[in-house]
Amino acid sequence: MDRPDLPLNALRVFEVAMRQGNFTRAAIELRVSQAAVSHQIARLEDRLGTALFLRTSAGLVATDEGRALFPVVEHALDTMGRALDRITGQHDVEVLKLGVVTTFAVGWLLPRLSEFHRCHPDIEVRVSTHNNRVEILREGLDMAVRFGAGQWTGLDSVPLLQTPLAPLCSPEIAARLQRPEDLGRAPLLRSYRSDEWPQWFATAGLACPALTGPTLDSSVALADLAERGDGVALLPVEMFRQRIDARRLVQPFSATVSTGRYYLSWPSDRPLTPAMSVFTRWIRQMCEA
């Protein structure tokens, strides 16, 4: 296809629709009507002679051709955007949009991010938090830090920190816990990962008692409840080191269990931008220090 005939507006609409996974959300981001989005996509599909999306009862699904085209278009638009920034005098800052699981953001990354900005003033890291459920493309992110086993479909990842879990609670509750068996008489706060407490008790050589406490999807919220004296939470110790050092939380027993680690991830078919490469090197060096 000749360059003068490239349907640039339609390609931009396609990129947003792929990232959002929905014509309505794409229309909101582009500040146009949903009909205008549909028209541009239909125009592009007609031009290419192939469907880029399938309209199903479950919603919008990209075809193989759409999935193959997306990273190429996204990379091209990003490259053009950076070139225009340089021409208009905005070349001193490259934006990196990073989604971070809240526990890691609060307990590790944010206190260190000023050091990254000091070393790399030409890169602006924009952090948004999530509860370990994140869709990088749909949420308009470049990369994401999450907790798990490091194997996610369509993503590349590098390991960061392994942070074993241990029971943490208020000093008042800790004073009543002489042996791990005493946990059976304390409210046990739970995350949505239902196997964590059973794994910890197995490590301690005990059967897990019945779990009846609240279930939350945020380790920070669990830590808040534990600090308030509402129960004992199983938490990544190093992410709450500041609270432990201040005696706001206490680790009554030394036994720990590892159920995964934190990883930095990004779409496998997306070329790394200079900012992504620099940030990846920096965060890995910081985690290894």
Side-chain angles (χ1 to χ4, degrees):
M1 186 178 294
D2 291 336
R3 286 184 180 180
D5 294 329
L6 287 175
L8 293 178
N9 194 40
L11 288 170
R12 177 170 177 262
V13 172
F14 164 74
E15 187 272 338
V16 176
M18 278 290 293
R19 181 159 40 78
Q20 291 290 356
N22 181 286
F23 283 0
T24 300
R25 288 193 294 267
I28 292 172
E29 178 176 330
L30 292 165
R31 296 183 177 87
V32 299
S33 68
Q34 183 178 342
V37 171
S38 297
H39 173 74
Q40 288 293 340
I41 296 300
R43 176 172 175 257
L44 183 59
E45 290 177 329
D46 182 64
R47 184 69 177 277
L48 297 175
T50 187
L52 299 173
F53 295 99
L54 297 177
R55 287 74 169 172
T56 71
S57 59
L60 201 64
V61 177
T63 63
D64 290 343
E65 291 79 8
R67 285 191 292 270
L69 182 61
F70 174 67
V72 178
V73 173
E74 182 188 43
H75 180 65
L77 291 174
D78 286 343
T79 301
M80 286 189 289
R82 287 193 294 270
L84 292 174
D85 285 344
R86 287 193 294 270
I87 292 172
T88 58
Q90 300 178 33
H91 61 281
D92 54 327
V93 176
E94 182 178 356
V95 174
L96 174 66
K97 291 167 285 186
L98 180 69
V100 187
V101 62
T102 303
T103 306
F104 188 88
V106 175
W108 193 90
L109 179 61
L110 294 180
R112 294 169 173 81
L113 205 52
S114 60
E115 174 65 15
F116 177 83
H117 289 148
R118 185 185 68 79
C119 296
H120 304 283
D122 56 333
I123 300 175
E124 177 188 349
V125 180
R126 295 180 183 173
V127 174
S128 61
T129 59
H130 59 81
N131 63 354
N132 214 41
R133 296 179 177 90
V134 59
E135 296 186 46
I136 294 176
L137 294 177
R138 184 166 297 180
E139 296 176 30
L141 302 172
D142 297 307
M143 314 180 88
V145 174
R146 68 183 76 196
F147 184 86
Q151 297 177 345
W152 295 283
T153 302
L155 298 178
D156 287 337
S157 63
V158 293
L160 299 179
L161 290 178
Q162 188 167 31
T163 55
L165 309 179
L168 298 180
C169 58
S170 67
E172 292 75 19
I173 290 182
R176 303 197 296 267
L177 301 175
Q178 302 303 312
R179 303 176 302 163
E181 291 88 335
D182 296 335
L183 284 169
R185 298 188 295 273
L188 300 181
L189 307 171
R190 296 174 290 164
S191 80
Y192 64 90
R193 299 184 188 90
S194 59
D195 61 338
E196 290 179 342
W197 272 117
Q199 288 187 53
W200 185 87
F201 276 102
T203 299
L206 299 169
C208 183
L211 299 174
T212 59
T215 301
L216 292 88
D217 65 357
S218 166
S219 293
V220 174
L222 286 168
D224 290 342
L225 291 180
E227 184 178 328
R228 198 171 68 183
D230 290 346
V232 183
L234 195 58
L235 297 168
V237 176
E238 290 308 314
M239 295 297 103
F240 296 95
R241 179 58 60 189
Q242 186 175 12
R243 298 198 200 195
I244 295 171
D245 291 344
R247 295 288 296 177
R248 292 158 53 195
L249 286 174
V250 175
Q251 181 183 343
F253 308 113
S254 60
T256 63
V257 64
S258 293
T259 60
R261 68 188 304 160
Y262 291 100
Y263 286 83
L264 178 65
S265 60
W266 62 91
S268 302
D269 55 5
R270 171 182 289 182
L272 291 180
T273 66
M276 291 167 69
S277 297
V278 169
F279 183 80
T280 300
R281 287 194 298 271
W282 174 83
I283 196 170
R284 296 194 73 183
Q285 289 170 357
M286 293 294 290
C287 288
E288 293 169 357

